[in-house]
């Protein structure tokens, strides 16, 4: 059976309690919808989403930036060290049918931008916003609850 | 729980019936040992190993060279399009604790060589052999049955 | 002799005339300072910076996303097809001592964010701006002329 | 002007004196033919080919496996840290019009195999040989002098 894949991206160890709680709700809801959760495999938002997905009986896949599994949180069904450094951000979003960004950081912003660049739908929950050189907002789908984020991600090509 | 990961590599559509049968036995035995099977996600040896792993209740992960899941055999629990082309060969062996090569092809040989280069144990079942410029064989662990291949792969660092 | 490397990033075919003129000035000034110019190898800002660098006697290196040189502008001393797709954005900024972003696009924003994530200094000339979830600006070094951009890029670690 | 690119691959610090001398001759001859020399940027065969290319007025490009230029021999016109580890082997051969392998090692063999896999012509000078599971040699273009290696590499698609 063809599964759906959603990448949940967000800050690692610097994530706030609210961001981790949101990520956990997102991970659980995706699992309940039969969706494979892809993350960058580190702490914070990544571990929260993966752990909640696993607890709900889902499949979480961790794509680590480093070359080994050492030190990575042990919360995912499948843990793959990529050795790609931050190039794994593009691998992560490119393997997803949609991306949910929870919270803001430079790594997270790179994943939002890479996904938009290659045409993968993105939904933002508390993520950074972008304005063009004239100060006008650059359109990004933004929601305020984990349930809305999952609903938007599963609804498909929201950005186009 | 920390799982073990073994990459099963070998020819795609050009694989022989014997190679596919060997790959299926390898995939099944790995699943019975609780090992996650990693493959390059295409046909032949890859699909045989992944499909038998799945049928035996295991987890098979497909790391596709292309950017989409289109056209890939639907036999793995997790299918990840990497967009890396043949660079995914290094991703595949680098994410494994050991590599089992079933049959020979240039892609397979690249995976054997990359694994040896980065210190991942390799066991060969019907794979190509290598001789140095003087015609002396370059050491590679070689076995003759799927059971011996799995046993060697799970025994650890056989090449060093 | 150890050379310095600056990546000039920005929109491709959608770049405006002003952006291309700025990029050309940046490329020329970098060449005059003995700096190797790295670009993503496509049109717009990339071709303008590389071409002006070459015309001024400098070395421009193009890191193409695709697997062949077909269709890429023939303006760089060294043209390398990477086959990495948008993963080449991380390769590009990771190989640079500093990044100058001219104009805005999703690809450009990904390069800014990846550079900031891995600690490569970034200077923006007409690029997109970023605000956090509370609407506060996220700090990015911003300048208004090509000369100021080059000066800032050569001054070193401006972001930290 | 459209340049030609040839990757010179071979052992690093373990290279023999003969291998380094052959690599230097290859690098010089490629430079004299206006060919850009691509290498993996480390010592041994790589440094010998790149240094001789530079001394002869050519352009040598080093694609390092690591994320920084620290510790790499300072013999190439352009030095690019890729952060790709051994994935850079596929980047290296994929960016070349042909590959010349001087001497044998697992890394070198991976480059030969990757090049053959993606259809880039390969010529071997003192490299490892390959036999299939029946002990029959797998065809590889083999030469005995640097001049013959360069001639074969420039003659084009020798493997098909």
């Amino acid at each position: 059976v063809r599964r759906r894949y959603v990448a949940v991206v967000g800050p690692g160890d610097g994530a706030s309690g609210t961001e981790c709680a949101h990520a956990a709700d997102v991970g659980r809801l995706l699992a309940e919808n039969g969706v494979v959760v892809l993350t960058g495999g580190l702490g914070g938002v990544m571990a929260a989403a993966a752990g909640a997905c696993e607890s709900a009986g889902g499949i979480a896949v961790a794509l680590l930036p480093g070359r080994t599994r050492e030190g990575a949180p042990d919360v995912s069904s499948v843990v793959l060290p990529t050795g790609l450094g931050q190039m794994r951000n593009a691998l992560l979003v490119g393997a997803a049918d949609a991306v949910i960004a929870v919270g803001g950081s430079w790594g997270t912003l790179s994943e939002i931008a890479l996904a938009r660049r290659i045409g993968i739908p993105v939904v933002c929950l508390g993520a950074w916003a972008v304005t063009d050189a004239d100060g006008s907002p650059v359109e990004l789908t933004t929601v305020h609850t984990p349930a809305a984020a999952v609903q938007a991600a599963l609804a498909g090509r929201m950005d186009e």
Side-chain angles (χ1 to χ4, degrees), chain A:
Chain A
V1 63
R2 169 73 171 83
R3 291 190 170 86
R4 284 173 299 177
Y5 295 78
V6 172
V8 183
V9 303
D13 291 336
S16 70
T18 300
E19 287 163 353
C20 289
H22 281 170
D25 284 349
V26 165
R28 177 179 52 79
L29 290 166
L30 289 170
E32 290 172 2
N33 280 278
V35 176
V36 178
V37 171
L38 307 178
T39 77
L42 301 181
V45 159
M46 299 172 252
C53 168
E54 290 287 310
S55 297
I59 297 177
V61 178
L63 295 169
L64 293 166
R67 292 188 192 162
T68 73
R69 293 178 178 85
E70 296 303 314
D74 190 15
V75 295
S76 300
S77 332
V78 173
V79 179
L80 300 175
T82 68
L84 285 166
Q86 296 302 309
M87 267 181 269
R88 78 88 154 75
N89 301 6
L91 180 71
L92 176 59
V93 302
D97 297 311
V99 174
I100 298 176
V102 181
S105 71
W106 286 115
T108 309
L109 184 65
S110 77
E111 292 161 324
I112 293 170
L114 287 162
R116 289 301 302 268
R117 175 63 183 81
I118 61 178
I120 307 292
V122 176
V123 54
C124 297
L125 176 61
W128 289 356
V130 182
T131 51
D132 68 17
D134 299 326
S136 305
V138 176
E139 192 182 339
L140 271 171
T141 300
T142 302
V143 297
H144 300 285
T145 66
V150 171
Q151 185 174 32
L154 299 184
R157 319 226 108 232
M158 73 208 71
D159 302 313
E160 285 160 271

